[in-house]
Amino acid sequence: MASFKKIARRSFLVGSAAILGGVAFGTYKYHQPAPNPLEPAAGKAVLNPFVFVDQSGVTLIAPRAEMGQGVRTSWAALIAEELDIDPGKVTVLHGPAAKAYYNSAMMGEVLPGRGYNNSSFQHSLGQVVGHTAKFFDLQVTGGSSSMKDGFERMRRAGASARETLKEAAAQKLGVSRALLETKDGQVLAPDGVTLSYAELAADAAKIDAQEVELRPASQWKYIGKTVPRVDMVAKVTGTAGFGVDTRVEGMKFAAIKQSPYFGAGKRSFDASAAQDMPGVEEVLDLGDAVAVVGSNTWLAQQAVDAIEVDWEAPSYPETTDAIFAEIAQAFDVSPNSTMRDDGDVEAALPEGAEVIEAEYQLPYLAHATMEPMNATALCTGDALQIWAPNQGPTVVQQAAADLTGLSKDAIQVHTTYLGGGFGRRIEVDYTNRAVQIAQQMKGTPVQLTWSREEDMSHDYFRPGAIARYRAAVKDGQAVMVHGKIAAQSTTREAAGRMLGLPMSGPDKGHVDAAFNQPLAIPNFRVEGYLAKPMIPVGFWRSVAASFNGFFSDSIIDEMAHKAGRDPLEFRLELARAEWEPAAKVLETVREMSGWSGTTPDGIGRGVAMVYSFGTPVAQVIEVADQDGQIRITKAWIAADLGLAVDPQNIEAQMFGGLAYGLSAACFGEITFDGGAVEQENFPDYDAMRMPSMPQVEVAVLQNQKHMGGAGEPGTPPAAPALANAIFDLTGQRARRLPFMHDFDLLI
């Protein structure tokens, strides 16, 4: 990637401080713009960190990681909408690690509340609170927040750029700016004179940024329409630069061996068999791990595998059963949270009420990104460069500063394309390991690539979880739901690592997609119980909603059947009384799938509806009995994002979320024996293959008032919809994941 200081020296940046977080109230320090990381040179103006114009055209600095979700394309469309330029002509670069690129939308989610029923004041308050992210240097990609974060900021950048360029043209031509128009990257004068943005850049550098109102939706040309992906050609031709593609002159390659026991160190090691192997240049002691540096990754991996290490013993329960016994013990203490407590779940049930008591359980999960963990680092002693596929450049930078003692200003982070993220690359363990190696190889760039086995067994896993539900129905109606959910806390453990702060108080994220489901049940309580830290846990696609969606929708399905009701109509009745957009997604999948409430022999259908990350998603899944095996044949998805910036891209994310959720539901589990992870590679941790995927149809709705997320909400409904379809087919209720243990799935 080009140096951002060099880019700024040949560039004119356009825009305004308003996009950096100015708000209507608060102290000056609060709404003061964050520092611009792009440095000006003599005669050049740098007014904002996002958009610049130079002789090569328009460039967007997009500080959200591109890991397949299309964020670069959608952000390009947002600035192009106001700047009057084809999004395909916008060059998109990832921003450096900088305070100015904080994620306001992600931080805004910390406020209490169910989300779907937030008032306009609560929504505005969330936007205000979101700007505190700049004080934490929270430049991260996650939480399905990229479009919510960039929607207004990028349009304002484009609008300010347009008007500043027009003002430069007006002064050059001696006419009023009001008489000028813009089209296809040019300013048009009434007399037919045209000036390109590139021609005007130098003059515009001398002008204060201009501010205007944003264009109304009726004038949008790109927002709401499908825009060709700006990264597609590079990915199809193999020229896109992922982390493992990084090449720096003089680079060496490294492999690593870490303890199979989390948090355990090593007593001693014997590297004699590795030191004399061809291609081995260095064997490094990393304190709690060992590494080999060689002439290529394959040779380094063979050598590190030959090192004999005596590891310290684990300090946590050593088997899966023992770990889940510890999780279950969390129910024996007071709950950490009661985020929903409608009515009175402890009151005597009405005469004739039918009660359901169910316990659900699902396992720890790995992220299993297709590109294994990797990073390249170059340490010169007084400066450090890191090339890495990461979801948090400022988090990587701060961790490296803590590790090396260097100032953050001496550390440059280059973010590549990500070969899958799913929350795994918000962590810094893999970049820290590369930095440790680089410190011992000063002046030599070293690329560290983890083996698949090292990656799979040293993840920050999605927590295993247990839920205990008690529910009641009477006369076909929902009377009561009382859910208790126990798991390790991702918020306390992962967010604490990321922010470097102690996390306490009620853990809203722990019960997400359980307490905040838009269903009108008169007596409804959800309690969260936090298991003690044991296995390293982290953010996984849809985080706690990935397990709470299974819990909260499964009990609704059991209630519907106990009440003798059609499962979809039962949910629809509850949703209509609570929040109309949730009812609309159910109505849509009913129509898409031709749901009738009955299925022929050999066919099963299940429905699920889960609200997460601001988006209600309903799914219907169909399965078929094929010679005694269960085949997933069809799936229908309806999601309401309030505003769809790029409908086709959202369809792709819903499809991907479904595939990820089905993979976990059918096969995904991380188990433990002797304190070590038993799964090592894809043969042990399978995923949906192309022949196994159902036919999928997606509908993108835009009924709700505020914008929802897209990257994660497609995952939570997948497991319960499939479980409910299997029940319809077999009559056997699935209360634990993965399904492969209890059902014969056709793969």
Short mmCIF file of all heavy atoms in Angstrom, two decimals, residues 261-265 267 311-316 318:
data_model
loop_
_atom_site.label_atom_id
_atom_site.label_comp_id
_atom_site.label_asym_id
_atom_site.label_seq_id
_atom_site.Cartn_x
_atom_site.Cartn_y
_atom_site.Cartn_z
N TYR A 261 -2.41 -26.15 25.49
CA TYR A 261 -3.20 -25.83 26.69
C TYR A 261 -3.24 -24.31 26.86
O TYR A 261 -2.21 -23.66 27.00
CB TYR A 261 -2.58 -26.49 27.92
CG TYR A 261 -2.19 -27.93 27.70
CD1 TYR A 261 -0.88 -28.36 27.89
CD2 TYR A 261 -3.13 -28.86 27.26
CE1 TYR A 261 -0.52 -29.67 27.68
CE2 TYR A 261 -2.78 -30.18 27.04
CZ TYR A 261 -1.47 -30.57 27.24
OH TYR A 261 -1.11 -31.88 27.01
N PHE A 262 -4.44 -23.75 26.87
CA PHE A 262 -4.61 -22.31 26.89
C PHE A 262 -4.02 -21.69 28.16
O PHE A 262 -4.31 -22.13 29.27
CB PHE A 262 -6.09 -21.95 26.79
CG PHE A 262 -6.75 -22.58 25.60
CD1 PHE A 262 -7.73 -23.55 25.75
CD2 PHE A 262 -6.38 -22.23 24.32
CE1 PHE A 262 -8.33 -24.14 24.66
CE2 PHE A 262 -6.97 -22.80 23.22
CZ PHE A 262 -7.95 -23.77 23.39
N GLY A 263 -3.18 -20.69 27.96
CA GLY A 263 -2.59 -19.98 29.08
C GLY A 263 -1.42 -20.68 29.73
O GLY A 263 -0.84 -20.17 30.69
N ALA A 264 -1.05 -21.85 29.21
CA ALA A 264 0.05 -22.61 29.81
C ALA A 264 1.36 -22.29 29.09
O ALA A 264 1.39 -22.13 27.87
CB ALA A 264 -0.23 -24.11 29.74
N GLY A 265 2.43 -22.23 29.84
CA GLY A 265 3.74 -21.97 29.26
C GLY A 265 4.47 -23.26 28.94
O GLY A 265 3.90 -24.35 28.94
N ARG A 267 8.04 -25.66 29.71
CA ARG A 267 9.12 -25.93 30.66
C ARG A 267 10.46 -25.95 29.93
O ARG A 267 11.45 -25.40 30.42
CB ARG A 267 8.87 -27.25 31.38
CG ARG A 267 7.58 -27.29 32.19
CD ARG A 267 7.49 -28.59 32.99
NE ARG A 267 6.24 -28.69 33.74
CZ ARG A 267 5.15 -29.32 33.31
NH1 ARG A 267 5.16 -29.92 32.11
NH2 ARG A 267 4.06 -29.36 34.04
N TRP A 311 5.35 -28.96 27.68
CA TRP A 311 4.41 -27.90 28.04
C TRP A 311 3.94 -28.03 29.49
O TRP A 311 3.81 -29.13 30.02
CB TRP A 311 3.19 -27.93 27.13
CG TRP A 311 3.47 -27.78 25.67
CD1 TRP A 311 3.39 -28.75 24.72
CD2 TRP A 311 3.90 -26.59 24.99
NE1 TRP A 311 3.72 -28.25 23.49
CE2 TRP A 311 4.04 -26.92 23.62
CE3 TRP A 311 4.17 -25.28 25.40
CZ2 TRP A 311 4.44 -25.98 22.67
CZ3 TRP A 311 4.56 -24.35 24.45
CH2 TRP A 311 4.69 -24.70 23.11
N GLU A 312 3.63 -26.90 30.10
CA GLU A 312 3.01 -26.90 31.42
C GLU A 312 1.58 -27.44 31.30
O GLU A 312 0.97 -27.41 30.23
CB GLU A 312 2.99 -25.49 32.00
CG GLU A 312 4.37 -24.94 32.31
CD GLU A 312 4.32 -23.52 32.82
OE1 GLU A 312 3.21 -22.91 32.78
OE2 GLU A 312 5.36 -23.00 33.25
N ALA A 313 1.02 -27.90 32.42
CA ALA A 313 -0.32 -28.50 32.43
C ALA A 313 -1.40 -27.42 32.36
O ALA A 313 -1.17 -26.28 32.78
CB ALA A 313 -0.50 -29.34 33.68
N PRO A 314 -2.57 -27.75 31.85
CA PRO A 314 -3.68 -26.78 31.82
C PRO A 314 -4.22 -26.50 33.21
O PRO A 314 -4.11 -27.34 34.12
CB PRO A 314 -4.72 -27.48 30.94
CG PRO A 314 -4.44 -28.94 31.09
CD PRO A 314 -2.95 -29.04 31.24
N SER A 315 -4.82 -25.32 33.37
CA SER A 315 -5.35 -24.93 34.68
C SER A 315 -6.87 -24.92 34.71
O SER A 315 -7.47 -24.48 35.69
CB SER A 315 -4.84 -23.52 35.03
OG SER A 315 -5.25 -22.59 34.04
N TYR A 316 -7.51 -25.42 33.68
CA TYR A 316 -8.96 -25.41 33.56
C TYR A 316 -9.45 -26.85 33.40
O TYR A 316 -8.64 -27.77 33.20
CB TYR A 316 -9.39 -24.56 32.34
CG TYR A 316 -8.64 -24.92 31.08
CD1 TYR A 316 -9.08 -25.94 30.24
CD2 TYR A 316 -7.46 -24.27 30.74
CE1 TYR A 316 -8.38 -26.28 29.10
CE2 TYR A 316 -6.75 -24.61 29.61
CZ TYR A 316 -7.21 -25.62 28.78
OH TYR A 316 -6.50 -25.97 27.67
N GLU A 318 -10.40 -30.30 31.92
CA GLU A 318 -9.70 -30.84 30.77
C GLU A 318 -10.57 -31.55 29.74
O GLU A 318 -10.09 -31.91 28.67
CB GLU A 318 -8.60 -31.80 31.24
CG GLU A 318 -7.52 -31.10 32.06
CD GLU A 318 -6.34 -32.00 32.38
OE1 GLU A 318 -6.24 -33.09 31.76
OE2 GLU A 318 -5.52 -31.63 33.23
#
